[in-house]
Amino acid sequence: MNSTRFLSRSLGRYSNAATFLKQQRKVIVNARAFSILSSSTVQKAAIAKFNFLNGPKHYQPNQIRTLKTLDFSGTKENVYERSDWPKEKYQNYFKDDTISILGYGPQGRGQGLNARDNGLNVILGLREGRSWNEAMKDGWIPGKSLFSIEEALKKGTIIFNLLSDAAQKQLWPQIKPHLTKGKTLYFSHGFSIVYKDDTLVIPPKDIDVIMVAPKGSGKTVRTLFLDGRGINSSIAVFQDFTGKAKDKAVALGVAIGSGYLYETTFEREVFSDLVGERGVLMGAIQGLFLAQYEVLRARGHTPSEAFNETVEESTQSLYPLIGANGMDWMYAACSTTAQRGALDWYKPFHDAVKPVFEKLYVSVANGTETRRVLEKNSLPTYREELEKELKEISESELWSAGKVVRSLRPENK
Ligand SMILES: NC(=O)c1ccc[n+]([C@@H]2O[C@H](COP(=O)([O-])OP(=O)(O)OC[C@H]3O[C@@H](n4cnc5c(N)ncnc54)[C@H](OP(=O)(O)O)[C@@H]3O)[C@@H](O)[C@H]2O)c1
């Protein structure tokens, strides 16, 4: 689609197109963060509020966080909001607890820094190396707030298992003996618990097992917190020994920087997450980009033209608008030529890829995907192989063209 034509049509009603796009980008901070808000009513309300307040710094959470049960196209879902747990309340609730965070990857770092800034008693349990050094740079002090995994397990009453999913399996024999009666085991993914036949992660019966899974990267968990906003998270209880597991999940979810908390189960969280990242979030999108690019190139289009029409226009222009307003709005706002084509062609694309999604779901649900992750991640050559695969993508013509196009953006000059 011709970008200029599209933009002038679709932005005609905004007095300042640049301001509009800037604001839309702020709203669509992270596709995963917003993917859960599939109801256009909820999404529009939240976006209208963001736009009204003109950016994150002025965001007032309580102004739109009043609903407990939201209607998602006829399905009612419980949504917890952070105003239920003001800082003083959770600081008091966890005053006798030590939160031990195992792992300082994106989630360990984002959640750990937020919980520490929110005044909870947080320590880290890490092996020496990359994460340990990173933690020291962030002000965690060896012997005071930074310990070996073993030491942190001894000290913690609430154990955040934020190791990589493969390491959660590997270290389980070391972790399990420290999960004594009444402790809480916290995850940010249903992976280890749901695929217990493969991971062998089976918690003792006399502890609480909960999940807070931020719907976005750990970096976003931190940046949204610093902006005074909050990421959307899923919460779940797998095991409620104390009778307080749900309260703990909600309170900890707020303390680590969540805004809204959506109730789910460990199984639903991990199934949807694994499908999503293999599908529309990353796997399918690269497949679609590549297929379209290859066809355009084979038909004589230049790399820049094929890239612009495939990736640049979608990520820079259309996707943020779809995220902000929905597909119906998008179709209504484009030229009649684009509109007719999109309406006619989404069906064949849907029919072509649906069987692939069905196959993917089965592969997730029966554990094939998990076994592959565990097997690949435990190979000593994993990093080496990964770098090779990523280099192949990076050096492909599609993404090489992307580098040149991106370098022309004003912010990269
Ligand atoms: N990343 C996301 O977007 C995201 C979103 C939601 C939920 N989650 C979930 O959050 C959890 C943590 O994910 P993440 O992405 O933050 O971390 P990650 O990158 O998967 O894990 C990194 C951490 O695990 C440690 N680790 C790995 N192998 C180890 C071993 N053998 N012994 C000791 N430590 C080891 C690393 O330490 P070293 O630095 O020393 O190697 C590092 O601190 C996972 O369950 C993940 O599924 C992730």
Side-chain angles (χ1 to χ4, degrees):
M1 191 193 313
N2 179 305
S3 298
T4 318
R5 193 177 68 236
F6 163 74
L7 276 175
S8 61
R9 284 180 70 96
S10 61
L11 300 175
R13 62 198 168 98
Y14 295 94
S15 56
N16 182 334
T19 309
F20 173 79
L21 284 174
K22 206 166 136 209
Q23 287 194 359
Q24 295 301 344
R25 280 203 195 100
K26 278 183 194 158
V27 172
I28 310 304
V29 172
N30 178 314
R32 292 186 75 188
F34 267 80
S35 63
I36 200 157
L37 282 174
S38 58
S39 150
S40 59
T41 314
V42 175
Q43 197 174 39
K44 277 176 188 160
I47 286 162
K49 186 57 70 177
F50 282 132
N51 287 345
F52 171 67
L53 293 165
N54 195 24
K57 293 268 191 291
H58 307 285
Y59 178 59
Q60 299 295 318
N62 292 343
Q63 284 187 288
I64 60 164
R65 292 188 173 168
T66 51
L67 288 175
K68 291 278 194 238
T69 303
L70 296 181
D71 188 336
F72 292 82
S73 310
T75 302
K76 300 231 177 349
E77 296 189 37
N78 285 339
V79 180
Y80 295 87
E81 55 191 353
R82 63 181 173 191
S83 58
D84 290 343
W85 282 91
K87 205 186 264 194
E88 306 70 45
K89 186 172 162 189
Y90 61 69
Q91 283 177 347
N92 189 47
Y93 192 80
F94 294 118
K95 69 180 182 328
D96 298 325
D97 282 301
T98 298
I99 295 172
S100 290
I101 300 187
L102 310 182
Y104 205 64
Q107 290 299 328
R109 181 172 187 276
Q111 297 188 30
L113 291 176
N114 293 356
R116 184 175 77 176
D117 288 353
N118 275 335
L120 296 190
N121 178 24
V122 185
I123 63 171
L124 303 181
L126 306 176
R127 64 178 172 187
E128 288 197 15
R130 196 190 55 86
S131 290
W132 181 281
N133 298 336
E134 182 87 354
M136 289 218 294
K137 279 192 223 144
D138 288 336
W140 302 91
I141 301 166
K144 202 166 165 225
S145 53
L146 176 56
F147 298 93
S148 67
I149 290 177
E150 187 71 16
E151 201 55 38
L153 279 163
K154 276 187 211 153
K155 290 183 189 300
T157 54
I158 299 174
I159 311 295
F160 277 32
N161 194 341
L162 298 181
L163 296 163
S164 67
D165 293 312
Q168 291 181 18
K169 172 184 178 177
Q170 206 186 328
L171 270 65
W172 182 245
Q174 184 187 353
I175 296 169
K176 192 177 174 186
H178 294 284
L179 300 174
T180 49
K181 190 173 176 180
K183 283 195 180 185
T184 301
L185 179 59
Y186 168 115
F187 291 93
S188 283
H189 201 9
F191 192 94
S192 292
I193 291 287
V194 171
Y195 296 110
K196 63 178 188 315
D197 294 343
D198 298 298
T199 63
L200 307 177
V201 173
I202 302 170
K205 289 277 169 235
D206 54 0
I207 64 165
D208 291 341
V209 181
I210 61 174
M211 177 176 68
V212 177
K215 295 288 112 184
S217 108
K219 279 196 194 314
T220 321
V221 171
R222 183 63 178 161
T223 50
L224 287 182
F225 174 81
L226 291 175
D227 278 350
R229 295 165 55 180
I231 193 153
N232 289 321
S233 297
S234 296
I235 53 160
V237 171
F238 176 71
Q239 203 167 274
D240 186 7
F241 174 70
T242 63
K244 296 177 184 158
K246 170 75 79 58
D247 277 353
K248 282 185 209 170
V250 177
L252 287 170
V254 173
I256 61 103
S258 310
Y260 288 109
L261 297 135
Y262 293 76
E263 239 179 326
T264 185
T265 63
F266 274 59
E267 187 173 283
R268 290 205 325 254
E269 189 278 334
V270 74
F271 283 12
S272 56
D273 195 65
L274 296 189
V275 168
E277 63 205 10
R278 280 154 182 74
V280 161
L281 298 177
M282 290 194 296
I285 210 79
Q286 162 71 359
L288 270 184
F289 282 160
L290 187 59
Q292 175 167 305
Y293 182 87
E294 285 172 349
V295 169
L296 289 172
R297 288 287 291 132
R299 298 290 176 158
H301 297 269
T302 62
S304 68
E305 187 166 65
F307 183 86
N308 279 329
E309 201 60 34
T310 302
V311 179
E312 194 70 355
E313 185 166 346
S314 50
T315 58
Q316 301 309 298
S317 172
L318 271 66
Y319 289 177
L321 293 168
I322 294 165
N325 304 293
M327 198 58 99
D328 55 331
W329 182 94
M330 186 74 251
Y331 284 8
C334 66
S335 70
T336 51
T337 311
Q339 198 173 64
R340 188 67 264 138
L343 284 164
D344 288 346
W345 275 91
Y346 88 75
K347 290 168 194 147
F349 277 114
H350 164 269
D351 296 350
V353 298
K354 194 165 173 195
V356 184
F357 279 102
E358 295 287 4
K359 197 168 149 196
L360 166 59
Y361 197 93
V362 170
S363 184
V364 165
N366 69 18
T368 305
E369 294 302 307
T370 297
R371 283 186 287 282
R372 180 164 164 74
V373 169
L374 292 173
E375 188 199 319
K376 280 280 181 190
N377 282 10
S378 57
L379 292 176
T381 51
Y382 178 70
R383 287 255 146 231
E384 219 175 286
E385 281 182 28
L386 173 72
E387 268 159 35
K388 234 189 266 168
E389 285 180 277
L390 296 182
K391 193 161 175 254
E392 218 171 276
I393 295 180
S394 159
E395 290 177 357
S396 66
E397 191 191 279
L398 165 66
W399 292 109
S400 299
K403 275 174 219 144
V404 180
V405 171
R406 287 199 300 276
S407 74
L408 300 177
R409 289 187 198 149
E411 67 270 24
N412 293 336
K413 278 193 167 175

